[in-house]
């Protein structure tokens, strides 16, 4: 999760109204989802309240487990080491060179909205109409985790990976100063064990601030990273956040070089609530060749 959110709740809600419409194929007669219903932003309705989000999350975890199990079989029967899911330091989005894979197999997970749903914190946002506040987020990090829940499919998925002999590693932008609380919350949710510096890496553990590449490099030096799992493109490579405009970022994620990685080492979960996905003006979201004007609309 990108913890540093600069959008206010009102701005986020406006963005979300367009985001939710884009999630599924609505019939021409279907109404456009409002930004809020009874004060709840549409993205929060989807992620924390909908059956569709639960289904999408379970689908991602099922695909992940199948992929990793096949990876392990290939590694044993073909006696070869497939490539790591981590990109090499000299990789680019046009040429996403992957590291060679050595060591014990591991899968690296983001935490927030990837394995753990911050339902209580987002309730506080929605109820109070609050903008992101770093001090309030730190208080949330230090909470006991009673108002969190595991992402659907995460507990079972992580258990299946561990049963297959794969180490589960967490790489999150929660703060190193609150490591003991993050360990406790993950364990409480049935997602642990999580041990700081061993299977839990946090903001402050390596240079780069909210960027995760430096931490990924530390993990890849110790493990063969079979897969990366997250809800933001930065959970896979910092290259996606290197000054790209929204349309450029989308094009990069869907490019011939990157597209084969999705579902083949890179697994993304839905998050229409916050983060780097919620950006773009009309020109970014609706290019000229994909616009329609209703010929039957009344002219003012």
């Amino acid at each position: 999760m990108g913890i540093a959110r600069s959008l206010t709740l009102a701005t986020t809600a406006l963005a979300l109204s367009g985001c939710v419409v884009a999630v599924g194929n609505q019939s021409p007669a279907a109404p456009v989802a409002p930004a809020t219903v009874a004060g709840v932003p549409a993205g929060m309705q989807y992620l924390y309240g909908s059956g569709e989000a639960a289904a999408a999350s379970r689908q991602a975890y099922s695909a992940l487990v199948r992929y990793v199990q096949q990876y392990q079989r290939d590694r044993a029967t073909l006696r070869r080491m497939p490539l790591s899911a981590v990109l090499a330091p000299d990789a680019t989005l046009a040429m996403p060179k992957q590291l060679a894979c050595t060591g014990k197999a591991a899968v690296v997970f983001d935490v927030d909205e990837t394995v753990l749903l911050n339902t209580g914190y987002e309730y506080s946002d929605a109820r109070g109409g609050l903008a992101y506040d770093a001090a309030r987020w730190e208080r949330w990090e230090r909470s006991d985790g009673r108002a969190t829940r595991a992402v659907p499919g995460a507990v079972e998925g992580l258990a299946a990976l561990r049963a297959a002999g794969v180490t589960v590693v967490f790489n999150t932008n929660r703060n190193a100063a609150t490591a003991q609380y993050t360990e406790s919350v993950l364990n409480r949710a049935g997602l642990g064990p999580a041990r700081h510096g061993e299977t839990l890496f946090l903001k402050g553990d390596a240079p780069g601030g909210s960027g995760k590449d430096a931490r990924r490099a530390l993990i890849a030096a110790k493990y063969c990273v079979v897969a990366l799992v997250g809800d933001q493109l930065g959970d896979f490579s910092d290259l996606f956040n290197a000054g790209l405009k929204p349309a450029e970022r989308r094009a990069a994620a869907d490019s011939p070089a990157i597209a084969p990685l999705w579902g083949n080492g890179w697994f993304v979960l839905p998050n229409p609530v916050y983060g780097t996905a919620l950006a773009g003006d009309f020109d970014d979201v609706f290019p000229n060749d994909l616009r329609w004007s209703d010929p039957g609309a009344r002219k003012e």
Side-chain angles (χ1 to χ4, degrees):
M1 173 179 110
I3 295 299
R5 294 180 290 177
S6 60
L7 297 175
T8 64
L9 190 63
T11 303
T12 303
L14 180 61
L16 292 174
S17 64
C19 184
V20 170
V21 172
V23 166
N25 290 322
Q26 296 189 0
S27 66
V32 174
T36 64
V37 172
V40 182
M44 294 185 190
Q45 294 166 5
Y46 181 85
L47 187 58
Y48 303 115
S50 78
E52 287 84 352
S57 295
R58 286 198 174 273
Q59 179 176 264
Y61 273 101
S62 293
L64 167 69
V65 170
R66 287 195 299 270
Y67 174 82
V68 174
Q69 289 172 339
Q70 185 63 52
Y71 187 111
Q72 291 287 76
R73 286 193 292 269
D74 288 349
R75 183 173 173 177
T77 59
L78 300 179
R79 298 190 178 185
R80 64 179 176 82
M81 189 71 70
L83 292 174
S84 170
V86 177
L87 298 187
D90 59 345
T92 65
L93 292 177
M95 297 185 66
K97 177 182 176 183
Q98 295 165 254
L99 291 173
C101 217
T102 59
K104 179 178 172 60
V107 175
V108 179
F109 293 84
D110 173 51
V111 169
D112 298 301
E113 277 56 60
T114 296
V115 297
L116 192 72
L117 293 175
N118 292 288
T119 310
Y121 182 84
E122 300 301 341
Y123 163 81
S124 176
D125 261 5
R127 178 60 69 183
L130 302 173
Y132 172 75
D133 176 79
R136 188 163 59 89
W137 175 259
E138 182 168 335
R139 293 193 294 273
W140 169 249
E141 284 191 11
R142 294 177 182 274
S143 69
D144 62 10
R146 291 179 187 272
T148 64
R149 67 174 71 174
V151 168
V155 171
E156 300 90 338
L158 271 58
L161 294 176
R162 291 180 173 120
V166 176
T167 300
V168 170
V169 180
F170 303 101
N171 183 11
T172 170
N173 278 333
R174 289 183 175 230
N175 293 305
T178 59
Q180 68 184 86
Y181 299 96
T182 297
E183 288 180 355
S184 178
V185 167
L186 288 168
N187 293 336
R188 180 188 182 92
L191 298 163
R195 298 185 181 89
H196 186 209
E198 297 179 20
T199 57
L200 174 63
F201 293 80
L202 299 156
K203 184 178 178 180
D205 286 342
S210 296
K212 291 186 173 182
D213 278 352
R215 280 173 266 152
R216 273 188 285 267
L218 291 177
I219 298 165
K222 184 176 182 180
Y223 296 102
C224 168
V225 179
V226 176
L228 299 170
V229 188
D231 64 308
Q232 311 281 329
L233 293 184
D235 294 326
F236 305 94
S237 173
D238 291 347
L239 292 170
F240 288 110
N241 296 333
L244 297 182
K245 295 179 180 179
E248 295 171 333
R249 204 162 172 270
R250 182 181 175 95
D254 199 35
S255 69
I258 296 294
L261 292 170
W262 303 117
N264 291 291
W266 289 7
F267 294 83
V268 66
L269 283 92
N271 183 357
V273 175
Y274 61 81
T276 51
L278 302 184
D281 58 20
F282 265 89
D283 288 337
D284 291 314
V285 178
F286 304 107
N288 285 329
D289 61 335
L290 293 175
R291 297 181 184 183
W292 179 75
S293 297
D294 182 4
R298 185 173 61 183
K299 301 294 190 295
E300 297 294 339

